[in-house]
Amino acid sequence: MGFHKCCCLFIPPRVLENLARTGVEQARLSIQQSQQSRAKRGAKIVDMATFTATRKAEAAKRQVYDCKRTWLQRVNLVRSEGAPASTDVAVNDAYNFAGKLRDYFKKVLGRNSIDNLGMDLILNVHFGLKYMNAFWDGDEMTFGDGDGEIFINFSKSLDVVAHELAHGVTQFTANLEYKSQSGALNEHFSDVFGSAITQYADKQTADDADWLIGDEIMGPDLYGEALRSMKAPGTAYDNSLLGKDPQPDHMNSYYAGPEDNEGVHINSGIPNKAFYRVAMDIGTDKAVLVWYAALQKLWATANFNDAVGVIVDSARLLTRAGKVPVGSPQTVRAAFKAVGLPT
Amino acid sequence: MGPEVPGDYMAPIGVPVTMHIDFECSGGFANLRLIYRADTAELPQELSSELFGLVEGSGVFELQESDVAPQSPGPPDVFFYRLSLAEGGRKTSLSFNDVTAPAQLHPLLARLRELALEQRRNGK
Ligand SMILES: [Zn+2]
């Protein structure tokens, strides 16, 4: 049951902070994000059950809202779980992609929706006017239509929708802080799931995948460009409108400036390249098992070195369990070494 | 809307009012960095009035930094904004993001984003 239609309690921020501090899993919702959601939508009511350990599993129902080109979320509920297709392509894309993502997490990774408790999947489409962005705000996904020239509808791409949903998964697992290296890891995990799920859905292997992120949402002005390349970070675009892809593919060109929350979408190129190398060696399906295991063990302030340690250790444990090929820990170590990690 | 409440901003008679705009929109899924700086005195009349109208409609001068400043980084992929406006005796300088900005501010932000891209297209 969604929080908007059940008996709810507003939880004081201090209670949330204490719950988070004492490590209650369901309280690991970013406190800041909840604060922002409340600020944005007035006193947005938070389901008490979300923050207790006794919450029952839900059915991960999809709800697609049309924002009707306003700057508000959840304006019109246009397609709920099981409802017939809409006449609006963006609504159906969001609905169908969310279904694929839910199935992938369940079948391949054994995860029951974003929070592993069957949380409903809320998707907002047609947000704003010419809004060239998509985001996860702490409890739902929101997609703009793009300007129609540089970008088209952001909900048109499975890897974009997967990327945003994966931010939710990260929030309910490692809850990586969205700045500097932990933020770049947050971005990295979203790109990993975006690519892995696209390859799974399109029945591609690491070898024949394009490893591009965002190529499906480029509009007529920049058709053929992409936003990120996991295979060759720094090469996704180079044009007068967007400039040049700033992603490094090695620690020796690490971005240390203040922009983009200290480079969360920039330095993610470094672990992205390492994931690509591992996937080319053991297969994307196996590599993603290792990364997902690691995501569940990482913590909010983990840096690149921490992540390397946890990912290698996850590879070792999965090798012992017979889930990934013998030699996977060595492959992972070599892939990170090739991008200059650990430092 | 009655005739005494015009849609476009009207300067007090005899006082030429110009506005200085300094806008930056960065980050987001695409990690954009869009900058627009302008003095309305140097803009075509139509655009200048449009911007005055959007600024008035946004209520930006009534916003306090503490109302809109993000308390911590994130949430993921929202745009981050810096907006400074100076007009007559009024001045404001704010930082916020897509979810901390009130809905009525967004039309102004969207237009400034568009103008930043237009400038880039024209090679400025
Ligand atoms: Zn992201």
Side-chain angles (χ1 to χ4, degrees), chain A residues 32-33 36 40 71-72 130-137 149-151 160 163-164 167 178-179 187 213 221 227-228 240-242 259-260 265-266, chain B residues 24 26-34 70-79 81 97-101 103 106-107 110 113-114 117 120-121:
Chain A
Q32 167 263 325
Q33 284 158 344
Q36 283 181 342
K40 166 82 179 169
W71 298 97
L72 300 168
K130 297 187 180 183
Y131 181 63
M132 43 181 78
N133 198 18
F135 61 86
W136 165 260
D137 70 1
E149 293 169 349
I150 300 174
F151 296 107
V160 176
H163 177 107
E164 296 311 327
H167 276 309
Y178 203 64
K179 69 168 187 191
E187 274 303 312
I213 306 284
D221 284 3
L227 293 173
R228 291 183 279 281
S240 57
L241 280 172
L242 297 183
E259 296 297 328
D260 184 33
H265 295 89
I266 301 173
Chain B
E24 183 184 319
S26 63
F29 179 83
N31 190 26
L32 302 178
R33 188 153 186 269
L34 301 172
Q71 297 304 303
S72 53
D77 293 330
V78 292
F79 281 137
Y81 302 90
N97 66 32
D98 277 322
V99 301
T100 63
H106 277 280
R113 203 159 38 227
E114 198 171 42
L117 278 166
R120 211 175 273 185
R121 264 180 224 281

Side-chain angles (χ1 to χ4, degrees), chain A residues 246-301:
Chain A
Q247 283 207 319
D249 63 355
H250 192 282
M251 284 302 284
N252 60 19
S253 36
Y254 182 85
Y255 171 75
E259 296 297 328
D260 184 33
N261 282 334
E262 300 174 26
V264 298
H265 295 89
I266 301 173
N267 291 321
S268 53
I270 297 165
N272 277 359
K273 178 75 191 236
F275 179 82
Y276 162 77
R277 286 175 178 276
V278 173
M280 287 296 283
D281 200 322
I282 67 173
T284 305
D285 54 336
K286 299 287 187 287
V288 81
L289 291 180
V290 174
W291 257 251
Y292 177 61
L295 182 63
Q296 294 170 86
K297 288 183 276 186
L298 281 166
W299 54 95
T301 56

Side-chain angles (χ1 to χ4, degrees), chain B residues 18-20 37-45 47-48:
Chain B
T18 65
M19 179 166 53
H20 186 76
R37 285 191 190 101
D39 213 304
T40 53
E42 291 158 17
L43 297 175
Q45 180 57 44
L47 177 56
S48 169

